[in-house]
Amino acid sequence: MSTFSGLNTAYTGLVAARQGLNVVGQNIANANTEGYTRQRISTSSTGALERTGLLTGGARPGQGVSVDAIARLGDLNLDARVRAAAGAAGYSAVRAAAMAELETSLREPGENGLSAQLQEFWAAWQDLSNRTGDPAAGAVVLEEAGTLAGMIGRGYQDVAGQWARVRAGAGTMAAELNSAAVQVAGLNEKIRFALASGGSANELIDQRSQLTTAIAELSGATVRDKGNGQVDVLLGGNALVSGSTAQAVKVTGPDSMDGGAAVQLEWAGRTGTPLVLDGGEIAGALSVLGGAGGEGPLRAAGRDYNGVAEQLAKAVNDVHRTGYTAGGATGADFFGFRPGLPPAQALAVLPAGPEDIAAAAQDAGKLDGSVADAISQLG
């Protein structure tokens, strides 16, 4: 072996060592970079040159070291577990945030809650039964009734406002999902081209891994490796991304809680067919809004507010109609409903003043408060 051959062997070792230092430096520089996957140099020994002729016998040393690749130390199984965990966490996080906001809006238990105001309302009727001839006692009943009706209406409005915010958020998340899918499709093509030309696609694969994790967090999507550097992203078994092609999704349904219809995710090109997700933030939002599987907790809360208003009005009115005002009028309702609104927001107090409250029983005298006492016992 010539001197120059030995120098070349040493040179290949220096080149490999320098490349290794470069990779180490890249790993250290990106230690805090989100989504970066550690890399490692892959080397192999270079065999001896083949010689022909009569004097070719004897052992010959190799020609140094060859840098074969810079390997990305990722794990497909761990990546799949991360995406599955992201989908489950996204679903739970959206539902937990929605339920926490709903709980806060109820203000229960506490002095600002509906139950406390109901107690004030019943207590005002009890006080009126003891002081029927005092206009101030009647005024307190009307004031507490108005406060109660307003609280029920505001509670319903809080729920309706939260529903509208979650609905808008679901549309935004669908747009984010579409954008990420387009980016994954573009990276698929770049990675395939880079690998086919013998280049390194590690950084591109890192970017794609971040995007697929974000897609899983949004939609509970799964990823299938195609083996040529590209991946498919699946939603409910159907391809959101296939190679360099991305499909689009959209959220359909009413923009307000009063719309009644289901809110669901659909393929943009197949209107009317719901896309069932396995998890993710969008699935969490749809479960809160009320999709094809049910009305959801927000609509249930709104329905309960309407039920409280209707039951309260019926219970009080049934007793109030049997009573007599100071002027002898009877058969009048205490609560009514304004037209064109949900019952919780439509609830209104009908008596214009204390003199219109029917607190006395028939033939019991103007100062009788037996009907007011009966209403106070409804609580």
Side-chain angles (χ1 to χ4, degrees):
M1 184 176 68
S2 68
T3 301
F4 287 108
S5 179
L7 291 174
N8 183 71
T9 298
Y11 173 74
T12 62
L14 291 173
V15 170
R18 184 183 65 183
Q19 189 72 288
L21 289 174
N22 290 340
V23 172
V24 170
Q26 173 77 349
N27 289 337
I28 294 174
N30 289 280
N32 296 320
T33 300
E34 184 179 357
Y36 178 79
T37 301
R38 187 165 59 92
Q39 300 177 7
R40 181 177 62 193
I41 188 172
S42 177
T43 61
S44 63
S45 62
T46 303
L49 295 176
E50 294 292 335
R51 295 183 63 183
T52 59
L54 296 176
L55 304 175
T56 59
R60 296 179 56 82
Q63 297 296 302
V65 61
S66 171
V67 178
D68 299 328
I70 299 176
R72 178 178 177 270
L73 302 181
D75 188 299
L76 294 179
N77 290 329
L78 290 179
D79 289 344
R81 290 174 61 183
V82 167
R83 287 190 292 268
Y91 179 87
S92 299
V94 169
R95 283 188 60 87
M99 298 306 290
E101 184 177 350
L102 177 60
E103 183 179 15
T104 300
S105 72
L106 294 176
R107 303 176 183 89
E108 296 286 358
E111 60 182 13
N112 296 319
L114 185 58
S115 60
Q117 183 55 42
L118 279 167
Q119 294 301 319
E120 295 292 335
F121 177 67
W122 304 127
W125 280 103
Q126 182 63 51
D127 184 56
L128 177 63
S129 70
N130 296 324
R131 298 190 295 134
T132 309
D134 187 352
V140 171
V141 169
L142 297 179
E143 180 181 356
E144 295 295 345
T147 301
L148 178 59
M151 184 173 289
I152 295 173
R154 284 192 301 274
Y156 182 91
Q157 184 58 45
D158 288 344
V159 173
Q162 182 184 353
W163 192 97
R165 290 191 296 274
V166 175
R167 171 64 176 85
T172 300
M173 287 187 282
E176 292 177 4
L177 179 63
N178 291 334
S179 176
V182 170
Q183 294 178 66
V184 169
L187 286 170
N188 268 345
E189 185 64 18
K190 292 180 180 178
I191 292 169
R192 185 191 66 80
F193 180 79
L195 295 179
S197 61
S200 174
N202 290 341
E203 281 70 25
L204 295 175
I205 295 174
D206 284 345
Q207 294 176 35
R208 186 179 65 187
S209 180
Q210 274 190 285
L211 287 168
T212 54
T213 301
I215 289 175
E217 186 175 4
L218 285 168
S219 63
T222 57
V223 175
R224 180 175 61 197
D225 192 345
K226 299 184 69 174
N228 61 349
Q230 297 185 334
V231 297
D232 289 341
V233 180
L234 308 177
L235 291 182
N238 297 307
L240 175 69
V241 178
S242 179
S244 59
T245 303
Q247 305 296 327
V249 299
K250 62 180 179 179
V251 177
T252 62
D255 293 325
S256 68
M257 188 173 69
D258 299 332
V263 179
Q264 60 190 24
L265 188 70
E266 301 177 355
W267 294 108
R270 282 177 276 174
T271 301
T273 303
L275 175 57
V276 180
L277 300 178
D278 297 324
E281 295 176 354
I282 297 177
L286 295 180
S287 72
V288 169
L289 294 173
E295 65 179 357
L298 295 183
R299 276 184 170 154
R303 171 176 51 77
D304 288 345
Y305 271 115
N306 286 332
V308 167
E310 292 172 338
Q311 292 174 30
L312 175 68
K314 182 179 186 306
V316 173
N317 287 344
D318 285 348
V319 180
H320 191 265
R321 290 192 201 103
T322 66
Y324 287 78
T325 68
T330 188
D333 287 338
F334 185 83
F335 284 116
F337 293 95
R338 294 183 292 271
L341 293 172
Q345 292 182 301
L347 186 65
V349 180
L350 298 181
E355 66 278 3
D356 296 324
I357 299 176
Q362 185 178 11
D363 299 328
K366 296 180 179 180
L367 299 181
D368 177 63
S370 57
V371 171
D373 181 65
I375 293 176
S376 74
Q377 299 305 315
L378 296 173

